[in-house]
Amino acid sequence: MTNKILKTAILVIILDQLSKFLFKNYFNFTRNYGAAFGLFQGYRWLFVVVAAIVVLLIFRYKNKLDNFALGLLLGGTIGNLIDRLVYGYVIDFIDLGFWPSFNLADSFSTIGVFLLLYKHWKD
């Protein structure tokens, strides 16, 4: 695994977990027992397995894809995985009103995926 992927992932995990700690202890947050948009409630272990597969795929493609984007995706995946393993749910706290609530890990993962898609279509 390259340094850029690991450094990016570690920064994402720290920002994600710090923000979730603050919201869990001092502000309102949502417990998400499902996946994106709260879908598939109650399938915690399926999401743990999917996260493990994503991590393995990142290791597999680390030399073929953009390292920064992979770092964002890895950090976001591990950030939410930590929540699932520690709490049994994901802490969501960004609520725009017109969109289901989400967190920094979701945001970083989404940005990582869009960067990968953009670079794929660009090249």
Side-chain angles (χ1 to χ4, degrees):
M1 178 111 358
T2 70
N3 247 355
K4 190 172 188 178
I5 294 172
L6 290 178
K7 286 179 182 178
T8 303
I10 289 168
L11 179 61
V12 166
I13 293 166
I14 290 169
L15 291 172
D16 175 65
Q17 291 298 304
L18 179 61
S19 66
K20 289 173 179 174
F21 171 81
L22 291 172
F23 274 86
K24 184 164 177 34
N25 290 296
Y26 301 107
F27 301 101
N28 292 327
F29 69 95
T30 303
R31 289 173 175 87
N32 183 353
Y33 293 93
F37 310 112
L39 297 172
F40 307 109
Q41 301 280 325
Y43 289 93
R44 175 183 174 199
W45 293 108
L46 173 64
F47 301 130
V48 169
V49 170
V50 169
I53 291 169
V54 169
V55 170
L56 290 173
L57 288 172
I58 289 170
F59 279 103
R60 167 95 166 79
Y61 291 101
K62 70 182 185 310
N63 295 323
K64 297 178 183 176
L65 298 172
D66 181 76
N67 287 336
F68 178 68
L70 289 176
L72 293 175
L73 182 56
L74 180 63
T77 300
I78 292 174
N80 281 339
L81 178 61
I82 290 169
D83 285 10
R84 289 189 198 286
L85 294 174
V86 172
Y87 306 116
Y89 55 84
V90 172
I91 297 169
D92 287 337
F93 57 87
I94 301 170
D95 187 356
L96 303 177
F98 62 90
W99 194 261
S101 56
F102 56 99
N103 59 50
L104 292 182
D106 299 332
S107 301
F108 287 124
S109 293
T110 301
I111 292 167
V113 168
F114 278 114
L115 284 173
L116 289 170
L117 291 171
Y118 171 76
K119 293 203 179 233
H120 175 74
W121 281 321
K122 183 181 148 209
D123 293 337

